[in-house]
Amino acid sequence: MPQSAKFITPFAEVALSNITRDYPYAAHHVASSSADIVEPREKNPAFANSFDWHSSVHMHYLLVTLLSTEAAQSAPWRDEAIEALTSHLSTENLTAEAMFLREHPTWERPYGWAWAVELVCALRASNDPQLRDLAPDAEVLAQTVFDLTVAWLPNMPEPVRHGIHPNTAFGLRRILLGARDFGRHDVVDAIAASARRCFADDHAWNFSQERSGQDFLSPGLCEADLMAEVLTADELAVWLPDFLSELAPESPALSPVEVLDPTDGYQSHLYGLGLSVAASIMRLAPRLLQIAEDSGNLDLADRTRGFLTRVDTLMAPGLEASVSDEYMASHWVATFAWEVLELKKD
């Protein structure tokens, strides 16, 4: 049995608890007047739960994804989960969410945007007819993100390279994959052009000084993840080994950071850092090994196999935190944990 199977019910219970919990909630809105001081659900009827908008979106995504597993077909939480999802992801609610994004075009950019696209893609791919039936009307959310992305990228002078929500590469990779799924070639082309403009000349990323105390993403590995989707095979065979040339199995970037205060919401990002790094390593390793084989680069092959030995250690703190009683971690970490568990299963 894959390791992921034993987490299906705990993660589903966490996700269901989160998307039905309204408070505490961090609205992250700029108030233009006193008229903007309203209950979160008045502005965001689908995603005013799970602490903040982006966490709510990807907790909905997680629950949709878990409902497609074999274990979920007879799970006692299945009916409640489908009822919550169909209620929250109604046509009326998602139309309102899409309108809010259009009216606030810098809000949740690009992290929340990316998860919104992932959610709609998950509905389209669901094996449950009730969830799949939600997909056509949910497309307004993804199409809104695609339109906003095309409008934004020509005016983006430089990428955001730090390891939290505004990271450009993390969001663009997920939006790119969704745009391919939807056949939005204009979005695919815009993201590819921006990625090349921003990142193609980067080399020998300094992983030894990358981490900060609030990161849940590796800026270097997010960039590598994106460029692996954008560059041709021949281009990637040159760019990727050079870009990762300063990364070694013993690099601090491939070790988890101890969380000293789990109640500190920013510090709890570090649980997600280990998980997201592990996921990037597992996505990039097959490409690196193929490049090593094609080029006869034995050192690259050995280093890549060394990277993979760090995955379990990187994952362990986040897996525990994802189902803990500490809400600052449990309102979001399970999404990242499920992604890495699924990659490990493959």
Side-chain angles (χ1 to χ4, degrees), residues 25 27-31 36 38-47 53 92-108 113 140-141 144 148:
Y25 189 77
H28 305 303
H29 295 307
V30 174
D36 286 333
V38 298
E39 287 289 310
R41 196 165 294 281
E42 291 189 34
K43 293 177 181 242
N44 302 109
F47 304 123
W53 195 90
E92 181 181 8
N93 285 354
L94 292 185
T95 299
E97 295 286 4
M99 184 179 298
F100 189 88
L101 289 179
R102 289 189 185 276
E103 291 173 350
H104 302 84
T106 65
W107 186 71
E108 289 285 355
W113 292 4
V140 65
L141 193 61
T144 295
L148 290 172

Side-chain angles (χ1 to χ4, degrees), residues 26 28 50-56 58 106-115 152 159-175 212 214-219 222 265-270 272 276 328 331-333 336:
H28 305 303
S50 198
F51 189 74
D52 50 25
W53 195 90
H54 50 259
S55 300
S56 176
H58 70 68
T106 65
W107 186 71
E108 289 285 355
R109 183 185 74 190
Y111 182 79
W113 292 4
W115 285 114
W152 163 50
V160 174
R161 296 178 181 268
H162 58 59
I164 54 176
H165 307 87
N167 182 279
T168 301
F170 179 87
L172 287 188
R173 175 183 168 273
R174 291 170 186 266
I175 296 170
S212 71
Q214 297 185 174
D215 285 350
F216 64 91
L217 303 170
S218 159
C222 286
Y266 288 108
Q267 192 178 145
S268 74
H269 283 176
L270 297 169
S276 67
M328 286 297 98
H331 79 269
W332 69 280
V333 174
F336 284 75

Side-chain angles (χ1 to χ4, degrees), residues 51-178:
F51 189 74
D52 50 25
W53 195 90
H54 50 259
S55 300
S56 176
V57 172
H58 70 68
M59 276 290 157
H60 282 79
Y61 156 80
L62 175 61
L63 196 54
V64 170
T65 303
L66 293 171
L67 281 164
S68 289
T69 63
E70 183 178 350
Q73 305 314 304
S74 58
W77 45 265
R78 181 178 184 82
D79 290 345
E80 183 184 359
I82 291 176
E83 182 180 355
L85 289 167
T86 53
S87 173
H88 292 184
L89 305 181
S90 67
T91 302
E92 181 181 8
N93 285 354
L94 292 185
T95 299
E97 295 286 4
M99 184 179 298
F100 189 88
L101 289 179
R102 289 189 185 276
E103 291 173 350
H104 302 84
T106 65
W107 186 71
E108 289 285 355
R109 183 185 74 190
Y111 182 79
W113 292 4
W115 285 114
V117 171
E118 292 255 26
L119 170 59
V120 180
C121 288
L123 290 171
R124 282 161 56 101
S126 176
N127 60 18
D128 186 284
Q130 295 178 83
L131 297 181
R132 202 164 53 247
D133 285 349
L134 299 175
D137 289 339
E139 287 187 12
V140 65
L141 193 61
Q143 296 292 358
T144 295
V145 169
F146 295 147
D147 293 345
L148 290 172
T149 301
V150 171
W152 163 50
L153 290 177
N155 299 310
M156 180 185 72
E158 292 288 343
V160 174
R161 296 178 181 268
H162 58 59
I164 54 176
H165 307 87
N167 182 279
T168 301
F170 179 87
L172 287 188
R173 175 183 168 273
R174 291 170 186 266
I175 296 170
L176 170 68
L177 295 177

Side-chain angles (χ1 to χ4, degrees), residues 137 188 202 299 308 322:
D137 289 339
V188 172
D202 289 355
D299 174 67
L308 290 168
S322 62

